[in-house]
Amino acid sequence: MGIYLEGTFTYLVDVEEKYFPYVIEWRNNPENNRFLNQPFLLTMEKQRAWYEKYRADDTQGLLMMIAKDGDIPFGTNGWTDYDPYEKHCISGRILVGDYRYRGSVELVEGMLLHLRYLYETLGVERDYSHVVVENKKSQSHNKRLGFRKSDGEIKFPHELFVNGMHQVEMVRDRVGYRRAEAYLSSLLDVFIREKESMGGRSS
């Protein structure tokens, strides 16, 4: 059985074929694609070929974020390069394909579930992120989530220039994890209080 992480508003599941149309549509959207590591048009054939390799690879994960209200897939997150001995991975694959869920309680909870899975279930001590140099918004967002720019040896130098895009490596450790968990938990609490006061959906 694949990964299943359940929250109050959101659940995360391992990607499977029934979700391919969502992934393909989201990743081919020009607004999303400009900062993605995908210099081609994603097709069902390419997605299935990727999936065959993915299922045999225990170093990576791709999770679908599903809103429990309506059972609506709205985005993805995940990781690559997981090493259980060095206890690290590259986290990412974060994509909000359904724009109604940007800045939503469902998204915040999905990010929190993913973060806790990395550190509490997979047991990572450090996770890395690679952000396009020009994408200052994502760099700032990562800092709020406990990342800092790598100030020593670059762990994944091959990620610094991908498909014509220069990227910066950022790293988060256990201290950063606790900061990120506290930040996301506080956001989630705010959303819940707003939801209770309004008596309706907050996204």
Side-chain angles (χ1 to χ4, degrees):
M1 184 176 178
I3 298 168
Y4 178 83
L5 310 175
E6 185 172 11
T8 303
F9 308 98
T10 309
Y11 67 92
L12 274 57
V13 292
D14 209 348
V15 68
E16 55 183 297
E17 189 159 354
K18 69 179 180 179
Y19 297 119
F20 289 178
Y22 296 99
V23 174
I24 292 169
E25 178 185 351
W26 297 341
R27 293 188 68 89
N28 284 338
N29 183 323
E31 184 175 343
N32 301 330
N33 186 269
R34 59 197 179 112
F35 291 128
L36 293 178
N37 180 12
Q38 181 194 292
F40 54 83
L41 185 70
L42 185 59
T43 64
M44 184 64 73
E45 181 182 10
K46 289 177 180 176
Q47 180 68 16
R48 285 176 174 150
W50 170 86
Y51 188 60
E52 288 305 309
K53 296 179 180 178
Y54 169 81
R55 294 201 306 176
D57 185 354
D58 59 5
T59 69
Q60 62 173 316
L62 178 62
L63 305 181
M64 300 293 300
M65 294 189 286
I66 316 290
K68 294 177 79 171
D69 183 7
D71 205 39
I72 300 171
F74 66 88
T76 65
N77 54 25
W79 63 91
T80 62
D81 295 82
Y82 170 60
D83 187 325
Y85 302 103
E86 292 200 23
K87 299 183 183 301
H88 68 223
C89 71
I90 298 175
S91 62
R93 292 179 161 171
I94 179 72
L95 176 60
V96 183
D98 188 329
Y99 295 165
R100 293 174 298 175
Y101 291 88
R102 288 183 171 180
S104 69
V105 64
E106 291 87 355
L107 173 60
V108 171
E109 187 175 53
M111 294 173 63
L112 186 58
L113 290 169
H114 172 250
L115 178 68
R116 286 173 173 163
Y117 183 81
L118 290 183
Y119 277 84
E120 304 303 332
T121 301
L122 292 185
V124 304
E125 295 292 334
R126 300 176 314 284
D127 64 318
Y128 295 83
S129 176
H130 299 90
V131 184
V132 175
V133 171
E134 291 81 10
N135 195 350
K136 302 300 184 183
K137 185 176 180 180
S138 286
Q139 290 180 44
S140 177
H141 177 67
N142 276 6
K143 288 178 181 177
R144 288 195 297 272
L145 293 176
F147 284 96
R148 56 178 171 78
K149 287 186 179 181
S150 295
D151 53 8
E153 179 184 357
I154 298 298
K155 190 67 179 177
F156 298 97
H158 61 280
E159 295 286 347
L160 297 185
F161 187 74
V162 179
N163 299 323
M165 296 182 295
H166 290 278
Q167 303 195 117
V168 59
E169 182 172 273
M170 306 185 77
V171 60
R172 175 171 57 193
D173 56 17
R174 282 269 167 182
V175 174
Y177 160 59
R178 287 191 289 271
R179 284 176 50 206
E181 185 184 37
Y183 171 68
L184 291 172
S185 295
S186 66
L187 279 182
L188 189 59
D189 287 343
V190 169
F191 273 122
I192 291 172
R193 288 197 298 271
E194 289 179 351
K195 190 177 181 70
E196 290 174 345
S197 66
M198 294 172 62
R201 192 169 178 271
S202 60
S203 60

